[in-house]
Amino acid sequence: MTITITAFERSPDGGRGLARDTRVRWALEEVGQPYQVRLVSFRAMKEPAHLALHPFGQIPTYEEGDLALFETGSIVFHIAERHAGLLPDDANARARAITWMFAALNTVEPVILELATAKVLEGDKPWNKERLPLVEDRVRDRLKQLSTRLGRTDWLDGGFSAGDLMMVSVLLRLKSSGILDEYPNLAAYVARGEARPAYERAFAAQLAINTGPPAG
Ligand code: GTB
């Protein structure tokens, strides 16, 4: 069955791979599933046809036959459940890998998004100079804990899993901030994720869209 995802017609990040379609592309590449991409403009995202797929008018979405999904956690979990390569066979190891997916999305990503908001949307506010260090420290608190848990291992729990895919995807947003480099094992962890051939293919595919001639 053909898989179709949606992505920004032009990502505001200019192809740095930070828009969330990249993690879905990465998951599909890891399991070897071909997919098509429907590009949507910011305006089209808020129109009824897209809102029927995504109630919050965002990308990415995922369509496969009768199934339409939104939310990258759900999409990557769906891919990982149906195809070998992203979740271990052992039931307990599988449950732990899924736990790491949730940890990435519910415990680590929120502080990173708060930092992005503080920098991008609140940078001109008079109180930003006082708030930004507090937000940065909340990011550091989480990274320190994650760094301690990862220790000297390559991945969070045994072999690479959907938990790592999600955690690396979330941490990538910090690359330009310099904060990630304060935790060398986390910086190396992210670099390991980026070096996976499946990630490289996913990154290249989104880059081609964002640097090529305009769609249409
Ligand atoms: N929780 C949802 C999920 O995981 O699927 C969040 C989806 C989401 O935030 N989608 C964003 C979107 O559609 C794109 S990825 N935004 C448009 C809107 O809400 O109107 C977020 C994103 C956007 C831009 C950058 N960037 O330029 O660096 C990075 C990440």
Side-chain angles (χ1 to χ4, degrees):
M1 211 144 2
T2 306
I3 293 171
T4 304
I5 68 167
T6 50
F8 281 132
E9 193 173 67
R10 282 281 166 177
S11 175
D13 74 355
R16 284 161 60 218
L18 300 177
R20 286 180 177 77
D21 57 292
T22 304
R23 56 184 76 166
V24 173
R25 293 170 183 273
W26 185 6
L28 289 165
E29 292 287 354
E30 288 284 351
V31 301
Q33 281 297 303
Y35 63 96
Q36 295 181 348
V37 183
R38 190 169 62 251
L39 301 177
V40 285
S41 64
F42 274 94
R43 202 180 61 194
M45 267 184 252
K46 310 300 175 199
E47 286 173 355
H50 189 77
L51 286 170
L53 295 171
H54 197 309
F56 306 112
Q58 297 183 313
I59 60 95
T61 57
Y62 176 101
E63 292 158 79
E64 185 181 13
D66 289 344
L67 178 68
L69 295 175
F70 59 97
E71 284 298 331
T72 52
S74 163
I75 296 170
V76 171
F77 181 54
H78 171 80
I79 295 166
E81 281 246 287
R82 275 162 183 74
H83 306 281
L86 281 172
L87 287 173
D89 291 334
D90 173 77
N92 285 355
R94 201 177 177 90
R96 288 195 303 272
I98 294 164
T99 300
W100 279 115
M101 289 182 67
F102 277 91
L105 295 171
N106 287 349
T107 304
V108 180
E109 190 165 54
V111 290
I112 293 175
L113 292 182
E114 206 185 332
L115 179 62
T117 302
K119 284 184 168 176
V120 178
L121 300 180
E122 300 168 353
D124 58 347
K125 302 285 186 247
W127 36 262
N128 185 261
K129 239 172 50 194
E130 282 177 72
R131 177 168 140 81
L132 190 57
L134 303 177
V135 177
E136 285 174 338
D137 281 347
R138 284 202 282 276
V139 173
R140 287 192 179 93
D141 286 346
R142 281 285 175 260
L143 294 192
K144 186 163 179 277
Q145 294 164 322
L146 185 65
S147 166
T148 300
R149 171 53 80 101
L150 181 67
R152 292 163 168 275
T153 58
D154 278 359
W155 307 113
L156 288 165
D157 192 307
F160 176 83
S161 77
D164 295 297
L165 184 150
M166 204 53 92
M167 191 64 81
V168 168
S169 298
V170 160
L171 294 175
L172 273 167
R173 188 88 182 248
L174 284 176
K175 249 178 90 172
S176 61
S177 75
I179 295 183
L180 197 59
D181 296 326
E182 295 172 26
Y183 306 86
N185 68 334
L186 291 186
Y189 172 65
V190 169
R192 257 191 305 281
E194 289 179 291
R196 290 180 71 82
Y199 178 83
E200 287 176 348
R201 289 193 294 274
F203 183 88
Q206 65 76 38
L207 183 66
I209 284 170
N210 285 297
T211 52

